[in-house]
């Protein structure tokens, strides 16, 4: 209004007003997103102890929100952190079973979001599987049964639904070497029965070496169906 009353060019006045508004909007938007949607995982050398490092990762995982893409903000940093098996061991050393269950459930949810999106390197599915396999191998006793099952569900999804050959090898090895804790074998048998997608490498498994009757039956029935088809 002041510009108009003083005789200044109307177009220039409108330009100044619109430009100022856009700059203010951009700044406010950037500030909101940078505060509310960033995940900053702690660096091991910046915290006082291994326990603080692991607890920091857990809280960032459970509370942090995404800034740009679920793969780059969430999955890739976790894979890099836990590519070192010693960090995975510390996960079990400093977190309760309940917290690790929540941690892996959140990873599973974020991974499924990622699989349904674009704009990330699809060949990194193997890295997801390797990370989950590391956690699986650390969940060996009965108290960690739920953790192992979550890992098995993720591995099956990558192996069967996503047809990742290297993860299929991991699943076959788990079955052949009877690595599933009691009752998790039954759960995997149910997953195999219910799955609309399976993979040919299941046919290579010798049913004689499988200790679990439900799992042996599920693989045998799957083999029979394939032969009929």
């Amino acid at each position: 209004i002041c510009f108009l009353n003083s005789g200044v060019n109307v177009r220039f006045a409108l330009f100044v007003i619109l430009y100022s508004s856009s700059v203010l909007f951009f700044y406010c938007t950037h500030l909101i997103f940078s505060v509310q949607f960033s995940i900053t995982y702690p660096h091991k050398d910046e915290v006082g102890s291994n326990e603080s490092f692991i607890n920091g990762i857990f809280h960032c995982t459970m509370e942090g929100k995404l800034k740009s893409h679920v793969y780059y903000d969430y999955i890739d940093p976790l894979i890099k952190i836990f590519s070192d098996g010693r960090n995975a061991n510390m996960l079990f050393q400093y977190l309760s079973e309940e917290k690790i269950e929540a941690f892996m459930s959140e990873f599973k949810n974020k991974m499924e979001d990622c699989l349904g999106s674009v704009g990330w390197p699809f060949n990194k599915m193997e890295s997801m599987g390797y990370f989950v396999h590391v956690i699986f191998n650390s969940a060996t006793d009965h108290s960690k049964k739920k953790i192992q099952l979550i890992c098995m569900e993720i591995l099956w999804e990558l192996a069967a639904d996503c047809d990742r050959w290297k993860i299929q090898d991991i699943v076959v090895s788990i079955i052949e070497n009877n690595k599933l804790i009691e009752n998790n074998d039954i759960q995997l048998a149910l997953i195999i029965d219910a799955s609309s997608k399976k993979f040919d490498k299941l046919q290579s498994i010798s049913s004689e070496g499988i200790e679990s009757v439900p799992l042996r039956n599920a693989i045998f029935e799957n083999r029979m169906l394939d032969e009929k088809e």
Side-chain angles (χ1 to χ4, degrees):
I1 296 173
C2 294
F3 281 123
L4 297 176
N5 291 340
S6 59
V8 177
N9 186 281
V10 173
R11 292 182 180 177
F12 179 76
L14 291 173
F15 170 80
V16 171
I17 294 170
L18 291 172
Y19 178 80
S20 301
S21 300
S22 64
V23 170
L24 181 61
F25 176 79
F26 174 81
Y27 175 78
C28 292
T29 303
H30 175 74
L31 181 63
I32 291 170
F33 273 77
S34 64
V35 171
Q36 293 186 356
F37 294 88
S38 60
I39 299 177
T40 304
Y41 286 104
H43 292 282
K44 200 170 184 179
D45 56 355
E46 294 177 354
V47 294
S49 66
N50 290 335
E51 185 173 4
S52 298
F53 171 64
I54 292 299
N55 276 288
I57 291 171
F58 173 76
H59 288 298
C60 285
T61 298
M62 302 308 295
E63 298 175 7
K65 295 184 179 180
L66 302 178
K67 183 178 181 180
S68 56
H69 193 287
V70 63
Y71 175 80
Y72 296 103
D73 288 354
Y74 180 92
I75 293 174
D76 186 52
L78 284 181
I79 289 172
K80 289 176 179 175
I81 289 170
F82 291 106
S83 61
D84 184 340
R86 291 171 297 180
N87 289 342
N89 290 334
M90 286 195 295
L91 197 70
F92 286 86
Q93 183 178 354
Y94 295 116
L95 296 182
S96 66
E97 278 82 6
E98 291 77 12
K99 284 187 175 181
I100 301 174
E101 286 172 30
F103 177 83
M104 292 308 299
S105 292
E106 185 65 15
F107 180 85
K108 183 174 184 285
N109 292 336
K110 290 290 194 300
M111 186 196 76
E112 289 173 348
D113 290 343
C114 185
L115 294 177
S117 69
V118 296
W120 63 282
F122 297 125
N123 62 345
K124 293 299 183 180
M125 289 186 205
E126 277 79 10
S127 297
M128 297 179 193
Y130 297 152
F131 157 67
V132 174
H133 191 215
V134 168
I135 304 301
F136 176 95
N137 285 333
S138 297
T140 54
D141 59 66
H142 199 271
S143 65
K144 301 178 178 66
K145 181 173 67 175
K146 291 182 180 179
I147 300 168
Q148 190 193 68
L149 180 58
I150 295 169
C151 292
M152 193 67 246
E153 290 171 344
I154 296 172
L155 291 171
W156 177 265
E157 183 171 357
L158 291 171
D161 295 352
C162 301
D163 196 28
R164 311 312 294 182
W165 295 354
K166 292 181 180 179
I167 309 306
Q168 291 172 5
D169 291 336
I170 292 174
V171 171
V172 168
S173 176
I174 288 171
I175 295 172
E176 287 183 329
N177 291 285
N178 300 296
K179 290 186 176 181
L180 290 167
I181 298 171
E182 182 183 1
N183 292 327
N184 280 352
D185 59 321
I186 299 174
Q187 295 303 315
L188 179 57
L190 293 172
I191 290 171
I192 293 174
D193 286 339
S195 179
S196 60
K197 294 184 179 179
K198 301 178 177 68
F199 49 93
D200 292 340
K201 290 182 181 181
L202 284 177
Q203 313 306 325
S204 67
I205 299 175
S206 173
S207 58
E208 295 179 0
I210 302 174
E211 296 175 358
S212 166
V213 174
L215 194 50
R216 185 166 63 237
N217 289 341
I219 292 173
F220 178 74
E221 289 172 6
N222 176 63
R223 188 173 299 164
M224 294 295 290
L225 287 173
D226 285 347
E227 290 175 357
K228 289 180 180 179
E229 292 175 358

